[in-house]
Amino acid sequence: ADRAALNLAESRLRSTAVSSPLQGVAYTVAVRAGDYVKTGDLLARVGDFRQIRVRVYVDEPDLGKVAKGQPVLVAWDGLPGKQWRGAVDRLPSEVKELGTRRVGEVSCTLMNPTQELLPNMNLNVEIVIDSKPQVLTIPREALLGSGGSQHVFLLRDGTLVKQAVRGGISNPTRVELTQGLKEGDEV
């Protein structure tokens, strides 16, 4: 009887052991000591932060420009000047409402070898849809007008002169100029 009781106690002790299906860092613990749990309950979230997935909400009009495999640049306000690189790995399957915007959820994967990026952070993400090296650019706010009637104000001899230009590709802060200015012109 003592041997059976010992075997039962050892069996119960083994059944209380909890192991993660993967190696990583426990970043959320959902239970406390003394809590009653049953099979299938979430006990902790475990992740490997050396490679992470970032969810990016892209406005509906811009979704047509996004493709799988495009490069992604990620920055975090908590570490100014630092940048992480990755790629788009999954396109959205639907468009949904997010506040006043209609967006698609694009998934991107990036390397995080120093594990500085953590779950649920707000990041600044730029999906690179096109790039051109060695082009003339100006601050985006200096380009006025739209379509075929774009212009800038050029500084000549202390006077502002309206100059017609043609814009090219852009990012949130800069725009390429394909016609109308030359290097060294002040706008």
Side-chain angles (χ1 to χ4, degrees):
D2 288 341
R3 171 79 54 213
L6 178 61
N7 287 342
L8 179 61
E10 287 174 344
S11 172
R12 285 184 177 162
L13 182 61
R14 280 191 305 275
S15 73
T16 63
V18 176
S19 61
S20 172
L22 59 101
Q23 186 175 358
V25 175
Y27 62 91
T28 300
V29 178
V31 294
R32 292 178 289 195
D35 283 355
Y36 177 78
V37 296
K38 58 187 181 305
T39 302
D41 284 353
L42 174 68
L43 305 179
R45 295 185 189 274
V46 178
D48 180 358
F49 300 146
R50 292 174 297 189
Q51 179 177 334
I52 63 172
R53 178 165 284 149
V54 177
R55 227 177 323 165
V56 182
Y57 296 108
V58 177
D59 288 317
E60 184 178 16
D62 297 326
L63 281 174
K65 301 173 191 171
V66 179
K68 195 171 181 177
Q70 285 176 322
V72 175
L73 304 174
V74 175
W76 176 44
D77 293 338
L79 288 174
K82 182 143 187 182
Q83 200 171 60
W84 293 263
R85 296 181 181 276
V88 172
D89 67 5
R90 191 179 56 198
L91 298 175
S93 57
E94 66 177 334
V95 174
K96 59 186 176 183
E97 301 284 334
L98 181 65
T100 59
R101 299 168 49 203
R102 292 184 48 80
V103 299
E105 187 178 303
V106 175
S107 177
C108 306
T109 303
L110 57 124
M111 298 309 293
N112 182 30
T114 55
Q115 300 181 37
E116 294 165 309
L117 299 178
L118 303 172
N120 301 316
M121 292 177 112
N122 285 319
L123 304 170
N124 302 311
V125 179
E126 184 177 335
I127 299 173
V128 181
I129 58 169
D130 196 5
S131 67
K132 294 180 182 176
Q134 304 298 317
V135 296
L136 180 63
T137 66
I138 60 171
R140 191 177 187 129
E141 60 272 10
L143 182 63
L144 304 169
S146 63
S149 92
Q150 295 177 317
H151 64 276
V152 297
F153 285 102
L154 189 59
L155 186 62
R156 280 200 189 127
D157 302 321
T159 306
L160 289 178
V161 178
K162 187 175 178 179
Q163 174 69 41
V165 295
R166 178 173 291 151
I169 65 171
S170 65
N171 69 17
T173 59
R174 310 279 305 169
V175 63
E176 171 197 19
L177 288 185
T178 58
Q179 287 181 356
L181 289 182
K182 63 184 184 307
E183 189 172 347
D185 286 343
E186 290 185 65
V187 294

